[in-house]
Amino acid sequence: MVYNIAMLSLGCPKNLTDAETMLALLEKENYNIVSDAGDADVIIVNTCGFIEAAKQESIDALLEMAEYKNDRCKLLIATGCLAERYNEQIIEQIPEVDAVIGTGDFHKIAEVINTCFQNSTYKPCLYGHIDFTPDVTDRKISTPRYVAYIKISDGCDNRCTYCAIPYIRGKYRSRPMEDIVAEAKKLAESGVKELILIAQDTTRYGKDIYGKYSLARLLKELCRIEPLKWIRLHYLYTEAITDELIDTIASEDKICKYIDMPIQHADDNILKRMARRSDSRQIEEVVNKLRAKIPGVCIRTTVIVGFPGETDKEFDTLYKFMRKMKFDRAGVFAYSQEEGTPAAKFDNQVDDEIKQQRYDSLMRLCMGISHEKNKSKLGSELTVLTEGYDEESYLYYGRSEADSIDIDSKVYFAAMHDVEAGEFVNVEILDCDEFDLTGKVKY
């Protein structure tokens, strides 16, 4: 009998690549992949466990998928970060779950499913191998055919005091360069035009296996892959952005002039308590250097408000820094107290009401900056990767070099002829709001 498998993957792109690997492994074992959970004999929820909201979303998803066990579904399996972190608790508290597979064991997905079908009373619970990286590269890509993520490393050694990733994903482990390049070539041959490099910290790529930062060398190898048009970088850390890396980004046409660089705060006292490796002066120097050496660079960052002990003065320092630096893109998050992390035990936890006030205040600032940045683009011409057609506005939409998929803004545009998803077009910008741009194809 051929069983149908449905997968729901939550959380970050790094988790998604694990889900895609699992789907490829299951196809090799002749399981049939379906998109509708109602048609599935086996439902897999690839969970996230990064912050409290993500954990709750994963629990809610498991409970929602458990309803299908009253119908066709025979097995419900929890994988991913929440499964690694709360393994046996999931089995105990959600009895509909038939197996739990942590972050270092996802390559055993087919074996676990086979075991569950052979013994309906046995509930496998695999976890604790967070420093293991499976040697598998085949993936069933779930993103649009023209774009794909590629994970260049796993785990993290930074040990920021607020972050649970090292306890879920283990130590920093770079993939061999030849494996990454081989996978990238395969993706390009399948039609991928935009390749997005991801890791917990892409800037430290290669330090563990080659003895030095090797992201620039990897990028040069990837730029030789002819079908690729855009190569995008996520999760760069300021202290590891070298001059060689900046020069490589500036000189290689295929590399998007887009820097995703989470600074998390700008007050030196808070940065020290977070165990971040950069201070505000270093952050400002790197931003200025990037802007000087990479004309038109788009810099995206993320910051945390309400970290334990954050005073009004320290928040004001962050606010003024953000106003001064005028980042092109900014994500603001309220601190989440994650059990098992050092910061969870810090004194002077900030009240939720104060966190919300600071979040709202900083978001208003960032939206205003974003609007000003967008207005400066009026009359300019941008290369846009088409994603689809919006029936409500009667406009096509896509992303510019300054916009990453599922994170940033859209460019809406009119066209005299049909435009296919995955097609690059030149768009003249005519209007904007705080987030999106609107224009028309320039023929």
Side-chain angles (χ1 to χ4, degrees), residues 87-349:
N87 36 79
E88 295 179 4
Q89 292 169 257
I90 293 175
I91 293 285
E92 293 169 3
Q93 297 178 21
I94 309 179
E96 294 89 349
V97 172
D98 298 285
V100 167
I101 305 176
T103 57
D105 294 285
F106 68 84
H107 59 295
K108 299 177 183 176
I109 182 67
E111 177 186 334
V112 168
I113 291 174
N114 291 338
T115 299
C116 288
F117 275 126
Q118 292 167 9
N119 185 347
S120 60
T121 62
Y122 176 56
K123 294 192 172 187
C125 193
L126 283 62
Y127 62 93
H129 306 110
I130 58 175
D131 290 326
F132 178 71
T133 302
D135 184 21
V136 286
T137 56
D138 287 339
R139 288 157 52 201
K140 184 177 176 63
I141 302 302
S142 57
T143 48
R145 57 180 174 77
Y146 49 82
V147 59
Y149 297 103
I150 188 164
K151 187 160 59 171
I152 65 172
S153 72
D154 212 338
C156 188
D157 292 340
N158 289 332
R159 298 279 172 176
C160 301
T161 58
Y162 53 81
C163 183
I165 291 299
Y167 313 106
I168 299 172
R169 290 278 179 178
K171 65 185 180 182
Y172 194 89
R173 307 176 311 282
S174 299
R175 290 179 59 194
M177 193 173 299
E178 57 270 23
D179 289 358
I180 298 170
V181 173
E183 183 179 0
K185 287 179 178 177
K186 187 182 297 185
L187 291 169
E189 288 166 1
S190 73
V192 168
K193 298 179 180 179
E194 179 184 14
L195 190 67
I196 306 175
L197 275 60
I198 54 173
Q200 305 300 337
D201 178 355
T202 52
T203 38
R204 283 186 171 75
Y205 172 75
K207 190 71 163 62
D208 54 325
I209 57 176
Y210 302 123
K212 61 181 180 179
Y213 297 144
S214 303
L215 181 58
R217 184 160 65 94
L218 172 62
L219 287 170
K220 290 174 183 176
E221 290 294 324
L222 294 174
C223 286
R224 295 193 179 103
I225 301 175
E226 188 60 37
L228 292 178
K229 302 299 182 185
W230 281 356
I231 298 172
R232 190 181 299 276
L233 292 165
H234 277 198
Y235 316 117
L236 283 76
Y237 281 60
T238 51
E239 67 276 7
I241 296 177
T242 63
D243 288 341
E244 181 189 17
L245 177 59
I246 295 173
D247 291 341
T248 300
I249 296 170
S251 63
E252 293 285 356
D253 291 339
K254 289 187 178 184
I255 303 176
C256 292
K257 306 310 181 260
Y258 173 97
I259 305 295
D260 177 31
M261 185 180 72
I263 64 170
Q264 308 303 13
H265 215 279
D267 182 89
D268 289 342
N269 290 327
I270 295 290
L271 288 168
K272 188 174 181 180
R273 291 203 294 276
M274 287 179 166
R276 301 289 291 180
R277 302 184 184 187
S278 296
D279 59 25
S280 58
R281 179 187 58 80
Q282 292 169 319
I283 294 169
E284 184 170 351
E285 286 179 353
V286 169
V287 171
N288 290 337
K289 184 183 289 187
L290 287 167
R291 286 174 170 164
K293 289 193 169 187
I294 309 174
V297 67
C298 174
I299 302 179
R300 174 182 176 80
T301 195
T302 56
V303 294
I304 297 171
V305 298
F307 188 77
E310 182 189 62
T311 63
D312 289 341
K313 182 179 179 182
E314 289 166 333
F315 172 72
D316 190 54
T317 299
L318 171 62
Y319 187 95
K320 289 177 178 176
F321 186 85
M322 296 294 283
R323 185 173 61 192
K324 175 183 179 182
M325 301 312 297
K326 296 187 185 302
F327 290 99
D328 301 88
R329 306 278 186 265
V332 181
F333 296 90
Y335 168 75
S336 177
Q337 188 176 6
E338 293 305 309
E339 61 178 305
T341 62
K345 300 176 183 177
F346 286 0
D347 294 333
N348 301 316
Q349 297 286 329

